[in-house]
Amino acid sequence: MMELLKVSNLCIEYASPRGIVKAADGVSFAINRGEIFGLAGESGCGKSTTAYGISRLLRPPARLSAGSVKLEDVELTTLSDAEFDRLRWSKISIVLQSAMNNLNPVMKIGDQLADSILTHEPMTKQQALQRARELMQLVDLPMDRLGSFPHELSGGMRQRVVIAMALSLNPSLVIMDEPTTALDVVVQKGIVSKIMELQQTFGFSILFITHDLPLMLEMCSRIGIMYAGKLVEVASREELLEGPRHPYTQGLLRSFPSVSGPRKRLAGIPGSPPDLITPPAGCRFHPRCGQAKPRCINAEPIALPVGEGVVACHLYGEEGTAYEQASAASE
Ligand code: SF4
Ligand code: MG
């Protein structure tokens, strides 16, 4: 499979009155062409921050302090704003949780769609409006809604408009951060199946972020699990369903009794995530981990390939040692 996006050692931090918060700390993963890749984890683990870092939506005081993001071999982190703006929508677009954050409240839907097309493609307003009509059809919205303002639409309709806008210039990657979280369950199901259908038709890749693990397992072929700013495991859906490797992932999955069942408290994991200003030494999960060893308290586990994915946990140390030797020998 061809790699589309490669994120390497992404570090995002911001200053707070108590010190530097490392919201994403050395995050690395890749997304293939046509793949739906998920990022999961409790709120505050850094999944949205990572998405914002990739799509250059970080706002001060948050800043990228290290790392690389390559989309089709173009390094995104060092592009000028003008250069990145040319790629926004045409190569990479983003759908946020609240459609209102994506839409201009005082502009009619049709004009917004046409405008976002016109900023990137040389065409007449008439052609852009025609494209807007096609996009409305694509997301099953009635044509007369082109003349509506965002507040005149339901939440589900607004999110469909945002999805249409995100797809208006055939991007290769669409980042979706909790795209259905604000919607009720029935509307959510409709939007999810629409997203899946469009993805099948057009073949774009998706970075899908949600705290809804059953939904994620339904949609994504591979999933990255984040804990306290670190990516602790990447695994295929099958691997996660058969037996997650990282103790945190195991706890996270235990908190969802079945893929369709209701969410329970994180029964498998006592305690709460650490303060990101002074995270625990060693493995950040060690104060909550039932399988912690003495080594976990001061040695930070590094992410190593295991199975189809990677795991950062000392329980996989044997393979880790072999891997470290192999990569040292090949240097
Ligand atoms: Fe638990 Fe140690 Fe693995 Fe961390 S490294 S998850 S503390 S076993
Ligand atoms: Mg978030």
PDB file of all heavy atoms in Angstrom, residues 34-36 167 193-206 219:
ATOM      1  N   GLY A  34      -6.178   5.797   0.578  1.00  0.00           N
ATOM      2  CA  GLY A  34      -7.469   5.120   0.610  1.00  0.00           C
ATOM      3  C   GLY A  34      -7.801   4.466   1.942  1.00  0.00           C
ATOM      4  O   GLY A  34      -8.769   3.733   2.057  1.00  0.00           O
ATOM      5  N   GLU A  35      -6.987   4.752   2.952  1.00  0.00           N
ATOM      6  CA  GLU A  35      -7.185   4.100   4.245  1.00  0.00           C
ATOM      7  C   GLU A  35      -7.946   5.010   5.214  1.00  0.00           C
ATOM      8  O   GLU A  35      -7.791   6.232   5.189  1.00  0.00           O
ATOM      9  CB  GLU A  35      -5.818   3.779   4.847  1.00  0.00           C
ATOM     10  CG  GLU A  35      -5.891   3.127   6.216  1.00  0.00           C
ATOM     11  CD  GLU A  35      -4.517   2.820   6.817  1.00  0.00           C
ATOM     12  OE1 GLU A  35      -3.586   3.639   6.674  1.00  0.00           O
ATOM     13  OE2 GLU A  35      -4.400   1.762   7.441  1.00  0.00           O
ATOM     14  N   ILE A  36      -8.756   4.394   6.073  1.00  0.00           N
ATOM     15  CA  ILE A  36      -9.356   5.140   7.183  1.00  0.00           C
ATOM     16  C   ILE A  36      -8.574   4.754   8.434  1.00  0.00           C
ATOM     17  O   ILE A  36      -8.604   3.609   8.877  1.00  0.00           O
ATOM     18  CB  ILE A  36     -10.846   4.821   7.374  1.00  0.00           C
ATOM     19  CG1 ILE A  36     -11.603   4.994   6.054  1.00  0.00           C
ATOM     20  CG2 ILE A  36     -11.447   5.728   8.447  1.00  0.00           C
ATOM     21  CD1 ILE A  36     -13.112   4.794   6.166  1.00  0.00           C
ATOM     22  N   LEU A 167     -15.005  17.984   0.719  1.00  0.00           N
ATOM     23  CA  LEU A 167     -14.741  17.158  -0.460  1.00  0.00           C
ATOM     24  C   LEU A 167     -14.764  17.953  -1.755  1.00  0.00           C
ATOM     25  O   LEU A 167     -14.527  17.399  -2.829  1.00  0.00           O
ATOM     26  CB  LEU A 167     -15.780  16.032  -0.552  1.00  0.00           C
ATOM     27  CG  LEU A 167     -15.817  15.070   0.639  1.00  0.00           C
ATOM     28  CD1 LEU A 167     -16.840  13.983   0.383  1.00  0.00           C
ATOM     29  CD2 LEU A 167     -14.443  14.455   0.874  1.00  0.00           C
ATOM     30  N   SER A 193     -22.610   6.476   7.616  1.00  0.00           N
ATOM     31  CA  SER A 193     -22.684   5.654   6.412  1.00  0.00           C
ATOM     32  C   SER A 193     -22.460   6.504   5.164  1.00  0.00           C
ATOM     33  O   SER A 193     -21.899   6.022   4.182  1.00  0.00           O
ATOM     34  CB  SER A 193     -23.979   4.840   6.340  1.00  0.00           C
ATOM     35  OG  SER A 193     -25.074   5.687   6.392  1.00  0.00           O
ATOM     36  N   LYS A 194     -22.822   7.784   5.223  1.00  0.00           N
ATOM     37  CA  LYS A 194     -22.529   8.681   4.100  1.00  0.00           C
ATOM     38  C   LYS A 194     -21.019   8.846   3.932  1.00  0.00           C
ATOM     39  O   LYS A 194     -20.486   8.768   2.823  1.00  0.00           O
ATOM     40  CB  LYS A 194     -23.184  10.045   4.367  1.00  0.00           C
ATOM     41  CG  LYS A 194     -23.179  10.949   3.177  1.00  0.00           C
ATOM     42  CD  LYS A 194     -24.069  10.397   2.160  1.00  0.00           C
ATOM     43  CE  LYS A 194     -24.004  10.542   0.778  1.00  0.00           C
ATOM     44  NZ  LYS A 194     -24.833   9.923  -0.135  1.00  0.00           N
ATOM     45  N   ILE A 195     -20.318   9.050   5.045  1.00  0.00           N
ATOM     46  CA  ILE A 195     -18.862   9.211   4.978  1.00  0.00           C
ATOM     47  C   ILE A 195     -18.228   7.966   4.357  1.00  0.00           C
ATOM     48  O   ILE A 195     -17.383   8.045   3.472  1.00  0.00           O
ATOM     49  CB  ILE A 195     -18.266   9.470   6.389  1.00  0.00           C
ATOM     50  CG1 ILE A 195     -18.727  10.830   6.917  1.00  0.00           C
ATOM     51  CG2 ILE A 195     -16.743   9.399   6.363  1.00  0.00           C
ATOM     52  CD1 ILE A 195     -18.376  11.086   8.380  1.00  0.00           C
ATOM     53  N   MET A 196     -18.681   6.787   4.821  1.00  0.00           N
ATOM     54  CA  MET A 196     -18.129   5.527   4.312  1.00  0.00           C
ATOM     55  C   MET A 196     -18.388   5.389   2.810  1.00  0.00           C
ATOM     56  O   MET A 196     -17.519   4.978   2.054  1.00  0.00           O
ATOM     57  CB  MET A 196     -18.744   4.334   5.046  1.00  0.00           C
ATOM     58  CG  MET A 196     -18.497   4.310   6.543  1.00  0.00           C
ATOM     59  SD  MET A 196     -16.770   4.056   6.960  1.00  0.00           S
ATOM     60  CE  MET A 196     -16.677   2.264   6.821  1.00  0.00           C
ATOM     61  N   GLU A 197     -19.602   5.744   2.403  1.00  0.00           N
ATOM     62  CA  GLU A 197     -19.972   5.624   0.991  1.00  0.00           C
ATOM     63  C   GLU A 197     -19.115   6.564   0.122  1.00  0.00           C
ATOM     64  O   GLU A 197     -18.581   6.159  -0.915  1.00  0.00           O
ATOM     65  CB  GLU A 197     -21.462   5.976   0.862  1.00  0.00           C
ATOM     66  CG  GLU A 197     -22.025   5.950  -0.534  1.00  0.00           C
ATOM     67  CD  GLU A 197     -23.356   6.713  -0.590  1.00  0.00           C
ATOM     68  OE1 GLU A 197     -24.191   6.556   0.339  1.00  0.00           O
ATOM     69  OE2 GLU A 197     -23.536   7.480  -1.561  1.00  0.00           O
ATOM     70  N   LEU A 198     -18.945   7.797   0.583  1.00  0.00           N
ATOM     71  CA  LEU A 198     -18.147   8.762  -0.185  1.00  0.00           C
ATOM     72  C   LEU A 198     -16.687   8.327  -0.248  1.00  0.00           C
ATOM     73  O   LEU A 198     -16.026   8.463  -1.272  1.00  0.00           O
ATOM     74  CB  LEU A 198     -18.263  10.157   0.446  1.00  0.00           C
ATOM     75  CG  LEU A 198     -19.647  10.813   0.353  1.00  0.00           C
ATOM     76  CD1 LEU A 198     -19.727  12.030   1.259  1.00  0.00           C
ATOM     77  CD2 LEU A 198     -19.966  11.189  -1.091  1.00  0.00           C
ATOM     78  N   GLN A 199     -16.210   7.778   0.866  1.00  0.00           N
ATOM     79  CA  GLN A 199     -14.824   7.325   0.900  1.00  0.00           C
ATOM     80  C   GLN A 199     -14.613   6.185  -0.095  1.00  0.00           C
ATOM     81  O   GLN A 199     -13.617   6.148  -0.819  1.00  0.00           O
ATOM     82  CB  GLN A 199     -14.462   6.893   2.330  1.00  0.00           C
ATOM     83  CG  GLN A 199     -12.984   6.699   2.574  1.00  0.00           C
ATOM     84  CD  GLN A 199     -12.494   5.321   2.192  1.00  0.00           C
ATOM     85  OE1 GLN A 199     -13.269   4.363   2.167  1.00  0.00           O
ATOM     86  NE2 GLN A 199     -11.222   5.212   1.868  1.00  0.00           N
ATOM     87  N   GLN A 200     -15.581   5.279  -0.152  1.00  0.00           N
ATOM     88  CA  GLN A 200     -15.518   4.172  -1.117  1.00  0.00           C
ATOM     89  C   GLN A 200     -15.530   4.693  -2.548  1.00  0.00           C
ATOM     90  O   GLN A 200     -14.800   4.214  -3.404  1.00  0.00           O
ATOM     91  CB  GLN A 200     -16.735   3.250  -0.927  1.00  0.00           C
ATOM     92  CG  GLN A 200     -16.659   2.381   0.314  1.00  0.00           C
ATOM     93  CD  GLN A 200     -15.684   1.246   0.128  1.00  0.00           C
ATOM     94  OE1 GLN A 200     -15.728   0.537  -0.861  1.00  0.00           O
ATOM     95  NE2 GLN A 200     -14.779   1.082   1.081  1.00  0.00           N
ATOM     96  N   THR A 201     -16.374   5.686  -2.799  1.00  0.00           N
ATOM     97  CA  THR A 201     -16.514   6.213  -4.161  1.00  0.00           C
ATOM     98  C   THR A 201     -15.264   6.967  -4.603  1.00  0.00           C
ATOM     99  O   THR A 201     -14.782   6.790  -5.712  1.00  0.00           O
ATOM    100  CB  THR A 201     -17.722   7.177  -4.231  1.00  0.00           C
ATOM    101  OG1 THR A 201     -18.847   6.508  -3.668  1.00  0.00           O
ATOM    102  CG2 THR A 201     -18.037   7.576  -5.666  1.00  0.00           C
ATOM    103  N   PHE A 202     -14.734   7.814  -3.717  1.00  0.00           N
ATOM    104  CA  PHE A 202     -13.654   8.706  -4.142  1.00  0.00           C
ATOM    105  C   PHE A 202     -12.267   8.243  -3.712  1.00  0.00           C
ATOM    106  O   PHE A 202     -11.277   8.720  -4.246  1.00  0.00           O
ATOM    107  CB  PHE A 202     -13.932  10.131  -3.652  1.00  0.00           C
ATOM    108  CG  PHE A 202     -15.183  10.703  -4.247  1.00  0.00           C
ATOM    109  CD1 PHE A 202     -16.352  10.783  -3.510  1.00  0.00           C
ATOM    110  CD2 PHE A 202     -15.196  11.126  -5.570  1.00  0.00           C
ATOM    111  CE1 PHE A 202     -17.516  11.293  -4.080  1.00  0.00           C
ATOM    112  CE2 PHE A 202     -16.361  11.629  -6.140  1.00  0.00           C
ATOM    113  CZ  PHE A 202     -17.521  11.712  -5.396  1.00  0.00           C
ATOM    114  N   GLY A 203     -12.191   7.374  -2.741  1.00  0.00           N
ATOM    115  CA  GLY A 203     -10.907   6.788  -2.370  1.00  0.00           C
ATOM    116  C   GLY A 203      -9.966   7.677  -1.583  1.00  0.00           C
ATOM    117  O   GLY A 203      -8.779   7.378  -1.469  1.00  0.00           O
ATOM    118  N   PHE A 204     -10.476   8.770  -1.011  1.00  0.00           N
ATOM    119  CA  PHE A 204      -9.598   9.594  -0.178  1.00  0.00           C
ATOM    120  C   PHE A 204      -9.277   8.856   1.125  1.00  0.00           C
ATOM    121  O   PHE A 204      -9.970   7.909   1.503  1.00  0.00           O
ATOM    122  CB  PHE A 204     -10.237  10.963   0.105  1.00  0.00           C
ATOM    123  CG  PHE A 204     -11.660  10.907   0.601  1.00  0.00           C
ATOM    124  CD1 PHE A 204     -11.936  10.750   1.946  1.00  0.00           C
ATOM    125  CD2 PHE A 204     -12.718  11.007  -0.294  1.00  0.00           C
ATOM    126  CE1 PHE A 204     -13.247  10.690   2.399  1.00  0.00           C
ATOM    127  CE2 PHE A 204     -14.040  10.951   0.153  1.00  0.00           C
ATOM    128  CZ  PHE A 204     -14.308  10.780   1.503  1.00  0.00           C
ATOM    129  N   SER A 205      -8.231   9.289   1.784  1.00  0.00           N
ATOM    130  CA  SER A 205      -7.887   8.724   3.090  1.00  0.00           C
ATOM    131  C   SER A 205      -8.555   9.565   4.167  1.00  0.00           C
ATOM    132  O   SER A 205      -8.799  10.756   3.963  1.00  0.00           O
ATOM    133  CB  SER A 205      -6.385   8.749   3.322  1.00  0.00           C
ATOM    134  OG  SER A 205      -5.712   8.102   2.270  1.00  0.00           O
ATOM    135  N   ILE A 206      -8.809   8.946   5.298  1.00  0.00           N
ATOM    136  CA  ILE A 206      -9.397   9.693   6.417  1.00  0.00           C
ATOM    137  C   ILE A 206      -8.552   9.473   7.673  1.00  0.00           C
ATOM    138  O   ILE A 206      -8.156   8.346   7.972  1.00  0.00           O
ATOM    139  CB  ILE A 206     -10.839   9.225   6.715  1.00  0.00           C
ATOM    140  CG1 ILE A 206     -11.739   9.386   5.477  1.00  0.00           C
ATOM    141  CG2 ILE A 206     -11.433  10.010   7.888  1.00  0.00           C
ATOM    142  CD1 ILE A 206     -13.187   8.916   5.697  1.00  0.00           C
ATOM    143  N   MET A 219     -15.351   1.684  11.613  1.00  0.00           N
ATOM    144  CA  MET A 219     -14.934   2.454  10.442  1.00  0.00           C
ATOM    145  C   MET A 219     -13.494   2.253   9.994  1.00  0.00           C
ATOM    146  O   MET A 219     -13.194   2.338   8.814  1.00  0.00           O
ATOM    147  CB  MET A 219     -15.120   3.949  10.732  1.00  0.00           C
ATOM    148  CG  MET A 219     -16.562   4.365  10.847  1.00  0.00           C
ATOM    149  SD  MET A 219     -16.700   6.149  10.966  1.00  0.00           S
ATOM    150  CE  MET A 219     -16.189   6.680   9.320  1.00  0.00           C
TER     151      MET A 219
END
